């Protein structure tokens, strides 16, 4: 079946512009995560959505970052007034609802954001 | 919060030899440890995982071991092949019916020398 998809695959923007990144999770997956991968670094958690619950925004680096998830499916990560340090690959992952041991997170291909 | 350290950052092995990547974690409450393989231009793909109620798990040429007392876990790849060349990430997670965010190591770039 279809995996997690993200769009665009690449985004080049100018400093100060706003950008929107989209994630389509696997159908039926109720949990959705956004991570950021900076050059040569591991993945850094940004935000978590589970069903209709309030999202866990504890990983967002600043108030310029926000995300929403409409209808429990598609999610959009918005970065306002982009800075050069925002340049990174933004990865989305989805999983089934948590159980005692948790569920596997499946990642999309990512969006490479370059801020000039 | 959880902190995961991963070593080495780069690893080169001859085709056919074994590769070992090691990770340590800080939160003794973490109970799930996946390994992801990331090829150039792609998202991470799960290759194997282990839960804290077992000490070892194998899947063909890949195995993972977990030492809860020492809080470290390792990935073992035997009979390496050129297609094993990629960046490998370990991760740790506390599954608590809530946010199951993964805390990742910084990655190991594995190169298989033909």
């Amino acid at each position: 079946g279809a995996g997690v998809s993200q769009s665009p695959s690449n985004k080049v923007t100018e400093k100060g512009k706003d950008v929107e990144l989209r994630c389509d999770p696997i159908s039926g997956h109720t949990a959705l995560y956004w991570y950021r991968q900076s050059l040569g670094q591991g993945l850094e958690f940004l935000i978590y959505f589970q069903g209709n619950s309030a999202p866990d925004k504890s990983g967002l680096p600043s108030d310029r970052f926000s995300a929403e998830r409409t209808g429990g499916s598609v999610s959009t990560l918005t970065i306002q007034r982009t800075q050069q340090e925002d340049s990174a690959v933004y990865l989305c992952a989805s999983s089934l609802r948590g159980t005692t041991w948790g569920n596997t997170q499946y990642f999309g291909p990512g969006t490479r954001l370059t801020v000039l | 919060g959880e902190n995961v350290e991963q070593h080495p950052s780069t690893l080169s092995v001859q085709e056919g030899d074994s590769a070992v990547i090691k990770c340590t974690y800080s939160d003794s409450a973490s109970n799930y440890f996946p390994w992801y393989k990331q090829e150039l231009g792609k998202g991470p793909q799960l290759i194997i995982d282990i839960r804290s109620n077992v000490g070892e798990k194998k899947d063909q040429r890949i195995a993972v071991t977990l030492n809860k007392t020492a809080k470290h876990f390792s990935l073992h790849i035997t009979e390496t092949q050129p297609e094993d060349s990629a960046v490998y990430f370990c991760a740790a997670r506390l599954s608590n019916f809530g946010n199951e965010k993964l805390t990742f190591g910084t990655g190991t770039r594995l190169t298989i020398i033909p």
Side-chain angles (χ1 to χ4, degrees), chain A residues 103-107, chain B residues 19 21 23 32-38 44-51 54-66 73-78 88-93 102 104:
Chain A
N103 286 288
T104 299
Q105 291 183 26
Y106 296 90
F107 283 83
Chain B
I21 302 170
C23 289
Y32 173 70
F33 307 92
W35 285 88
Y36 285 84
K37 175 183 181 182
Q38 187 175 30
Q45 300 295 312
L46 180 74
I47 56 171
I48 196 167
D49 56 14
I50 191 167
R51 307 187 190 284
V54 298
E56 183 176 4
K57 182 177 178 180
K58 284 185 178 180
D59 182 2
Q60 301 183 340
R61 297 186 296 108
I62 296 173
V64 57
T65 58
L66 171 66
F73 56 112
S74 300
L75 176 71
H76 304 254
I77 307 174
T78 60
Y88 291 81
F89 291 96
C90 63
R93 181 176 75 190
L102 293 167
F104 285 86

Side-chain angles (χ1 to χ4, degrees), chain A residues 15 21 49 72 75 77-78 82 88:
Chain A
K15 179 181 174 181
L21 313 179
F49 294 91
S75 177
L77 177 68
T78 301
T82 52

